[in-house]
């Protein structure tokens, strides 16, 4: 057994466990279909469920519809453009990952970079398949802009309230608005299925993980740390650059929201990697791919705590990028851009 546990290592274990439990609590509060806090936007990935009285909860903005997965935020951009972008991104990343494996064999997956790089590839693979389906739907003449459909539904609800005096029923929690219209119920349930939800979750996890990977590599590892196992070369530089470039390009074109609470998936992704490192070291692995993950130093708890905190600005930076897209571009291109939410 190569992993020697010291008393201060239990603090590191506690930090990771606390982060994971905290992320589960966030998801339980935000993703649970039965809960909705006062004055908050309901952004659950779960499908709408009718209650015992036959009412359906209102869909709040930022809840993704099926066509929002494959349609662009630019009105005149054909879904095929997003399909081509995702497919070419997937192929390019597959080439670089294959090149990396051929140079270093499968042991290269001890690095967080390869984990994140592969996760971004999974997103583009899912996006390619869903975009291909979207192009088929588009050719059938169905609406391609989720924002347009949302506005139609919203206008329908407002008109129905005014003309028919639709009553809203309140339960124990404020903000649980219920609708009686069968038409509205059908519209609400036209949401992304399981694969669409998976694609959105992977996308939001990638946003934080890519920035964490590239920022730590270029700002910490390259300037201050020397790695005898991997030296800086063209391949490694591309691996720590193209992941962000391709994902940001997709963000500039897609219609997906980026809510804050899904940082929980990003935290869980990093926690899983930490546990992976502990397991392989307990099984006999001798060296650490990242010095700040080492457990045989009294400074380990501080490093783990700092790394846990770094997840917030990394994810937050990507949230700001998406917010800037939805705030600045509509002003610059009011007739061409559709807000993601």
């Amino acid at each position: 057994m190569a992993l020697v546990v010291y008393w201060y290592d239990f603090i590191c274990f506690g930090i990771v466990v606390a982060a994971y439990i905290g992320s589960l609590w966030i998801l339980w509060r935000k993703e649970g279909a039965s809960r909705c806090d006062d004055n908050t936007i309901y952004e659950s990935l779960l499908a709408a469920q009718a209650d015992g009285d036959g009412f359906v909860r209102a869909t709040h903005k930022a809840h993704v519809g099926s066509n929002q997965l494959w349609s662009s935020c630019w009105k005149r951009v054909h879904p095929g453009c997003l399909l081509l972008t995702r497919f070419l991104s997937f192929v390019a990343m597959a080439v670089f990952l294959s090149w990396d494996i051929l140079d270093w064999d499968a042991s290269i997956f001890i690095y967080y970079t390869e984990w994140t790089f592969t996760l971004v590839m999974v997103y583009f693979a899912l996006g390619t398949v869903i975009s291909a389906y979207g192009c088929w739907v588009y050719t059938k003449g169905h609406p391609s802009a989720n924002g347009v459909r949302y506005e139609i539904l919203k206008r329908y609800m407002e008109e129905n309230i005014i003309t028919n005096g639709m009553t809203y029923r309140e339960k124990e929690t404020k903000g649980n608005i219920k609708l009686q219209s069968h038409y509205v119920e059908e519209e609400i349930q036209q949401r992304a299925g399981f694969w669409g939800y998976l694609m959105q979750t992977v996308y939001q996890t990638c946003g934080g993980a890519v920035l964490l990977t590239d920022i730590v590599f270029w700002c910490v590892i390259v300037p201050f740390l020397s790695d005898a196992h991997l030296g800086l070369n063209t391949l490694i530089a591309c691996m720590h650059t193209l992941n962000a470039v391709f994902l940001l390009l997709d963000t500039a074109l897609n219609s997906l929201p980026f809510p804050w609470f899904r940082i929980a998936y990003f935290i869980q992704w990093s926690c899983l990697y930490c546990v992976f490192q502990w397991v392989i070291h307990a099984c006999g692995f001798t060296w650490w791919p990242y010095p700040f993950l080492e457990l045989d130093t009294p400074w380990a708890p501080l490093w783990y705590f700092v790394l846990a905190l770094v997840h917030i600005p990394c994810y937050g930076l990507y949230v700001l990028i998406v917010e800037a897209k939805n705030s600045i571009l509509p002003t610059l291109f009011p007739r061409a851009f559709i807000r993601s939410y």
Side-chain angles (χ1 to χ4, degrees), residues 115-147:
W115 280 48
T116 300
F117 204 85
T118 303
L119 187 67
V120 178
M121 283 182 54
V122 170
Y123 165 69
F124 283 124
L126 290 171
T128 298
V129 174
I130 291 176
S131 289
Y133 168 77
C135 288
W136 177 80
V137 172
Y138 186 84
T139 59
K140 294 293 183 178
H142 293 277
S144 61
N146 188 66

Side-chain angles (χ1 to χ4, degrees), residues 43-80:
E43 297 167 323
S44 176
L45 291 174
L46 303 178
Q49 298 292 333
D51 61 18
D53 298 325
F55 292 88
V56 180
R57 297 180 187 275
T59 302
H60 295 250
K61 66 181 181 179
H63 192 1
V64 172
S66 59
N67 57 358
Q68 200 170 351
L69 297 166
W70 49 262
S71 61
S72 175
C73 57
W74 299 94
K75 292 181 180 178
R76 298 183 180 180
V77 173
H78 192 280

Side-chain angles (χ1 to χ4, degrees), residues 21-100:
I21 293 176
S23 67
L24 290 178
W25 180 80
I26 292 173
L27 294 178
W28 177 72
R29 289 294 303 272
K30 294 295 185 178
E31 292 283 30
S34 62
R35 301 185 67 90
C36 183
D37 295 336
D38 296 348
N39 301 320
T40 59
I41 300 303
Y42 183 69
E43 297 167 323
S44 176
L45 291 174
L46 303 178
Q49 298 292 333
D51 61 18
D53 298 325
F55 292 88
V56 180
R57 297 180 187 275
T59 302
H60 295 250
K61 66 181 181 179
H63 192 1
V64 172
S66 59
N67 57 358
Q68 200 170 351
L69 297 166
W70 49 262
S71 61
S72 175
C73 57
W74 299 94
K75 292 181 180 178
R76 298 183 180 180
V77 173
H78 192 280
C81 295
L82 194 56
L83 168 61
L84 182 62
T85 300
R86 288 170 171 172
F87 176 71
L88 293 179
S89 297
F90 171 76
V91 171
M93 294 187 73
V95 170
F96 277 99
L97 184 61
S98 300
W99 180 8
D100 203 19

